[in-house]
Amino acid sequence: MVGEIARRSEDFSEWYNELVRRAELADYAPVRGCMVIRPYGYALWEQIQRGLDQRFKETGHRNAYFPLFIPYSFIEKEAEHVRGFSPQLAVVTHGGGEELEEPLVVRPTSEAIIGHLYSKWIKSYRDLPVLINQWCNVVRWEMRPRLFLRTTEFLWQEGHTAHATFEEAEEEARKILDIYAEFAEEEAAIPVIKGRKSESEKFPGALVSYSIEGMMGDRRALQMGTSHNLGQNFARAFNIQYLDRNNQLQYCWTTSWGVSTRFIGAVIMVHGDDQGLILPPRLAPIQAIIVPIYKGDEDGEKSQVLEAVAKVKALLSGSIRVEVDDREGYTPGWKFNEWELRGVPLRIELGPKDVAQEQAVLARRDLPGKEGKRAVPQAALREEAERLLEEIQRSLYKRALEFREAHTHEPKDYEEFKAAVEDGFALAPWCGEAECERAIQEETKATNRCIPLEQEPLSPKARCIRCGRPAKERAVFARAY
RNA sequence: CGGAGGGUAGCGCAGCUCGGUAGCGCGCAGCGUUCGGGACGCUGAGGUCGCGGGUUCGAAUCCCGCCCCUCCGACCA
């Protein structure tokens, strides 16, 4: 565990890969593209789950569970859906030692199976809306896997709702997008851009897809959550119909939305530094780590320190997720580095000097070295620790926002545009044509991340940054994960 | 699937050109001394050299085939 990790500024990919494993978030599995999420990484996922789940429930959603296997024919019912997903399906052809009558797809997402059930459950306008979420795993046979960012199997939540009108479905899709954005910014301290996906980037089968897009530490974009208004496409494919007040048979309007373990990748890539992870306090499984410092126990030093440590832990544990690192055989300096690698936002050092003065030393993870260290009287420790955690949370967000803004450009012409996407995000007017998007990608490697929902109206004379045809809105272009 | 680099102890690597039966650092175990920014000493455990075949008296090393991993592209939450 000793040794430098790759420098973030020099080799971001290598830094990321090493960090995920060194911090014991995850490890490679024996099957290509699959990952093992280790207890520390899973604890982080549980924090994410907790925050999102609470928000879903507050807005009237309930959890359920649908099966892993989907009859192959279900996937084929929605034309764009099958076209979008068939290249990356895992298909089960044998079971119980015999070839199956119909192959089963391991769900890449659950619109199909849930649509099937919704068609059975929904009969009347009185049954609507249906607001269901599930936490589960899905499988997509990706070409180029990366820990957390793109794994063959991943964990996520997928919400699936059915409504009586387009407006209600649209409102739902937007409400969830707002929840995702609020969660990313408030809990993960990651500023995100809320936007609509272009036609070529939208979810297969959706009427309109929304996403939150974040800028990672290497200035590339990452889609951190999506919310789709599926229109009546899936309702027609799966026959999800209800009788309205006038006894007329109507197709439902459905939505789906998801956030995956990829979100953990974003937390790593946005906040981490050369020392390792920096976890935002609200998501950190361990918010404060107490490191006892003592020599031998001839003069009772060790027992005095440990006694004070126990007292401090008890003092804090009511309001803070705090743990003690009382492992023998590791020096304090080693532990400092270890917990920095693991991204614990606050470290509490407690040694003989502190026992004598009834104080403890607080060290902030986001400020390296002496700058982030301060001695605090034990009587004020709880209040001060709580305050510092909030300050770290805010300061991480501010840092990430300033970074994004420093690397977001509004190019005047295509030459500037090319330079802009080399540096980060380019916010530029465009014509809305898929062919132009494709050309931009070929020429610059940048893709259309989204059309930001919040943007100034364009002047009628505005022209597409690449082709010069009339533009009606701005899009964010960037190299993306 | 195209381009590049790799696979030797848990991790990082050397050894391969020039064949002679495997080594270094870290980590791990035990004991002792240490402990306010990655301590040190001694002792020790740990390897079918990615897999299969071939050449040879003898292969980590040479030849053939395959598999896997990482990075850059096409795909993607």
Side-chain angles (χ1 to χ4, degrees):
Chain A
M1 201 50 71
V2 171
E4 294 292 308
I5 62 172
R7 302 239 134 215
R8 180 174 130 121
S9 52
E10 285 164 13
D11 189 343
F12 196 84
S13 290
E14 187 60 24
W15 168 83
Y16 177 85
N17 285 329
E18 265 187 62
L19 186 48
V20 167
R21 278 178 293 165
R22 289 272 300 271
E24 297 182 1
L25 294 174
D27 206 345
Y28 291 110
V31 177
R32 177 191 151 76
C34 292
M35 72 186 286
V36 176
I37 304 177
R38 302 184 65 176
Y40 194 53
Y42 201 80
L44 186 52
W45 178 236
E46 285 176 319
Q47 287 296 120
I48 293 168
Q49 284 187 302
R50 206 173 46 87
L52 286 174
D53 202 62
Q54 181 191 335
R55 286 165 173 79
F56 298 153
K57 285 175 178 157
E58 282 168 3
T59 46
H61 303 84
R62 290 187 299 168
N63 287 330
Y65 186 78
F66 295 85
L68 173 70
F69 296 126
I70 302 174
Y72 196 94
S73 57
F74 280 33
I75 299 284
E76 294 174 311
K77 287 186 180 179
E78 210 289 330
E80 296 203 5
H81 198 57
V82 63
R83 205 173 321 130
F85 279 106
S86 57
Q88 38 181 201
L89 293 179
V91 180
V92 178
T93 56
H94 289 73
E98 289 183 22
E99 186 163 355
L100 301 174
E101 292 250 329
E102 179 181 2
L104 300 175
V105 169
V106 179
R107 65 182 162 216
T109 178
S110 301
E111 278 75 8
I113 187 79
I114 292 179
H116 173 78
L117 274 302
Y118 279 9
S119 77
K120 292 168 70 174
W121 295 343
I122 296 167
K123 296 294 168 210
S124 153
Y125 71 93
R126 297 182 214 273
D127 298 328
L128 297 174
V130 174
L131 307 173
I132 289 180
N133 175 65
Q134 80 168 341
W135 292 94
C136 68
N137 58 341
V138 289
V139 167
R140 299 179 188 178
W141 220 261
E142 300 288 355
M143 302 313 273
R144 200 144 97 72
R146 281 197 98 199
L147 293 168
F148 288 114
L149 301 175
R150 204 182 310 99
T151 47
T152 301
E153 177 190 11
F154 57 91
L155 305 184
W156 75 347
Q157 58 71 213
E158 48 177 329
H160 295 269
T161 68
H163 307 265
T165 65
F166 167 84
E167 288 74 19
E168 282 179 40
E170 180 64 16
E171 187 191 337
E172 168 77 8
R174 294 287 294 267
K175 180 194 290 175
I176 295 297
L177 187 73
D178 288 343
I179 286 175
Y180 286 164
E182 185 266 340
F183 178 78
E185 299 194 334
E186 295 299 317
E187 304 284 315
I190 299 174
V192 293
I193 296 172
K194 288 188 282 186
R196 175 169 51 83
K197 285 290 186 183
S198 69
E199 283 303 299
S200 46
E201 295 277 340
K202 78 178 185 188
F203 178 76
L207 197 62
V208 49
S209 288
Y210 299 101
S211 73
I212 53 170
E213 302 281 333
M215 181 185 282
M216 303 299 105
D218 60 352
R219 308 183 307 263
R220 287 170 74 177
L222 183 75
Q223 178 174 311
M224 295 167 58
T226 51
S227 179
H228 317 289
N229 182 342
L230 302 174
Q232 293 180 309
N233 294 341
F234 284 86
R236 288 180 195 279
F238 291 95
N239 218 22
I240 312 173
Q241 289 180 296
Y242 71 97
L243 281 172
D244 68 13
R245 284 179 169 76
N246 307 313
N247 202 33
Q248 297 290 305
L249 205 51
Q250 305 282 359
Y251 283 107
C252 284
W253 299 79
T254 65
T255 79
S256 69
W257 27 275
V259 160
S260 73
T261 36
R262 167 182 273 194
F263 199 93
I264 294 173
V267 171
I268 299 165
M269 290 193 291
V270 169
H271 299 305
D273 66 11
D274 283 347
Q275 312 312 317
L277 297 175
I278 301 181
L279 298 179
R282 289 194 195 147
L283 289 186
I286 302 172
Q287 294 176 304
I289 184 74
I290 305 175
V291 178
I293 298 162
Y294 50 80
K295 301 196 202 309
D297 198 28
E298 310 85 48
D299 46 3
E301 182 177 289
K302 177 180 171 183
S303 40
Q304 280 174 17
V305 166
L306 289 182
E307 196 180 315
V309 160
K311 209 177 78 188
V312 165
K313 189 193 178 197
L315 177 73
L316 296 177
S317 52
S319 59
I320 291 174
R321 294 186 289 276
V322 58
E323 286 187 16
V324 176
D325 186 355
D326 55 4
R327 288 177 292 177
E328 300 285 349
Y330 294 96
T331 62
W334 189 92
K335 291 178 181 176
F336 296 170
N337 283 282
E338 169 80 357
W339 292 107
E340 280 169 7
L341 173 68
R342 287 172 164 254
V344 172
L346 202 57
R347 183 178 67 243
I348 302 172
E349 305 171 10
L350 218 161
K353 287 180 226 163
D354 306 302
V355 171
Q357 298 175 47
E358 293 187 37
Q359 63 173 26
V361 174
L362 297 189
R364 293 174 60 156
R365 175 62 181 87
D366 61 331
L367 297 177
K370 287 218 158 39
E371 196 192 344
K373 264 185 164 180
R374 193 143 44 94
V376 174
Q378 285 173 22
L381 203 56
R382 175 166 170 163
E383 197 183 340
E384 184 60 9
E386 287 171 13
R387 195 189 65 76
L388 270 180
L389 287 173
E390 280 172 31
E391 194 176 315
I392 293 167
Q393 181 82 27
R394 276 196 305 276
S395 122
L396 288 177
Y397 178 80
K398 185 161 172 275
R399 188 194 289 183
L401 181 61
E402 283 169 0
F403 182 81
R404 190 189 76 188
E405 286 176 348
H407 296 285
T408 299
H409 309 279
E410 296 194 33
K412 302 281 179 295
D413 55 43
Y414 199 49
E415 285 311 304
E416 279 188 32
F417 178 90
K418 287 180 187 168
V421 296
E422 283 294 308
D423 181 66
F425 288 5
L427 180 63
W430 77 302
C431 59
E433 298 299 324
E435 90 190 59
C436 212
E437 241 177 322
R438 243 194 330 273
I440 286 173
Q441 179 167 5
E442 277 165 25
E443 289 158 10
T444 70
K445 294 180 186 167
T447 51
N448 186 343
R449 301 320 307 150
C450 70
I451 297 123
L453 296 178
E454 289 153 25
Q455 58 173 285
E456 299 289 309
L458 274 182
S459 110
K461 289 179 294 191
R463 292 289 182 268
C464 173
I465 192 74
R466 181 179 174 279
C467 68
R469 284 178 289 191
K472 59 180 187 302
E473 55 198 1
R474 293 178 190 83
V476 172
F477 290 86
R479 295 193 59 187
Y481 278 97

